Amino acid sequence: MESNTALKMLKQSINSLANTPDELIENLFGICTLKKLNRREIFVRSGDYPKYVGFNLSGIFRLYYTDSKGNDWTKGFSTKGRFIISYSAMVQKRESFFNIESLTDSEILQFDYEEWMKMIRSDMRWYPLTFNLLQTVYIMKEIREKSFLLDDAASRYIQFMKEYPEVETNAKLYHIASFLGITPESLSRIRRKLKKLS
């Protein structure tokens, strides 16, 4: 991807959260590195101390936990125009609890989290973005918790398809099923039922 296109995407994404001066975004872009990841390549590995934030220019990423027996559960997905980050690990300076894997060949902008924090601490104009970004993450978490407590599996799947339509063809059945908190067999039944109704 060309540098100008990548910068334009970064500006659009940041400004969708909070109007941010071009100067600040260009300063952030100045510490970014364009990185390509192959399908199934790991961006953040569970147990490692992450240093970098990614901005997804193209591709699909899966965030997932793995237990001692090698079983995994999908925490979330990241699609084009979204940040990919193991946030609490970087804030607390500890190992990541989960993996971030590219499900497709992907391109990201990668930048050092601590360098960005220095920019934020030195210029108050960053604060609306950081506040709104944290608000957005908290709201998403609350909505997901509500869905697990009050919605049936079919409703959760329908909402998933609205939010991540491009993931369906690139993720495995069990990736999506574990994200929804159901078995792959249950997801297959839901798909068949919805297909009959359409």
Side-chain angles (χ1 to χ4, degrees), residues 49-90:
Y49 287 73
K51 290 178 55 181
Y52 299 104
V53 179
F55 175 72
N56 191 352
L57 296 169
S58 67
I60 299 170
F61 289 81
R62 181 172 77 109
L63 292 68
Y64 66 95
Y65 298 103
T66 306
D67 68 15
S68 58
K69 296 179 181 178
N71 301 309
D72 65 65
W73 290 269
T74 303
K75 167 184 165 62
F77 296 95
S78 172
T79 52
K80 179 180 175 180
R82 301 188 185 197
F83 289 93
I84 43 175
I85 181 173
S86 182
Y87 182 72
S88 65
M90 284 195 277

Side-chain angles (χ1 to χ4, degrees), residues 27-140:
N27 287 343
L28 175 62
F29 188 73
I31 65 168
C32 287
T33 302
L34 183 64
K35 183 174 181 179
K36 294 184 179 182
L37 291 98
N38 296 322
R39 178 177 174 270
R40 303 202 66 185
E41 188 171 345
I42 299 293
F43 175 62
V44 172
R45 190 175 300 280
S46 173
D48 288 351
Y49 287 73
K51 290 178 55 181
Y52 299 104
V53 179
F55 175 72
N56 191 352
L57 296 169
S58 67
I60 299 170
F61 289 81
R62 181 172 77 109
L63 292 68
Y64 66 95
Y65 298 103
T66 306
D67 68 15
S68 58
K69 296 179 181 178
N71 301 309
D72 65 65
W73 290 269
T74 303
K75 167 184 165 62
F77 296 95
S78 172
T79 52
K80 179 180 175 180
R82 301 188 185 197
F83 289 93
I84 43 175
I85 181 173
S86 182
Y87 182 72
S88 65
M90 284 195 277
V91 169
Q92 296 180 324
K93 294 180 172 34
R94 58 158 172 78
E95 69 276 8
S96 177
F97 292 147
F98 57 86
N99 304 281
I100 302 178
E101 175 190 34
S102 181
L103 293 181
T104 62
D105 291 342
S106 306
E107 281 188 288
I108 65 170
L109 289 174
Q110 175 179 281
F111 56 94
D112 187 283
Y113 173 76
E114 286 299 330
E115 288 298 312
W116 190 28
M117 287 302 101
K118 287 177 186 176
M119 290 182 180
I120 290 170
R121 287 190 287 268
S122 67
D123 196 322
M124 292 285 290
R125 292 177 297 170
W126 277 113
Y127 278 42
L129 171 67
T130 53
F131 178 77
N132 289 349
L133 187 58
L134 291 174
Q135 264 194 334
T136 300
V137 171
Y138 184 83
I139 289 167
M140 286 172 61

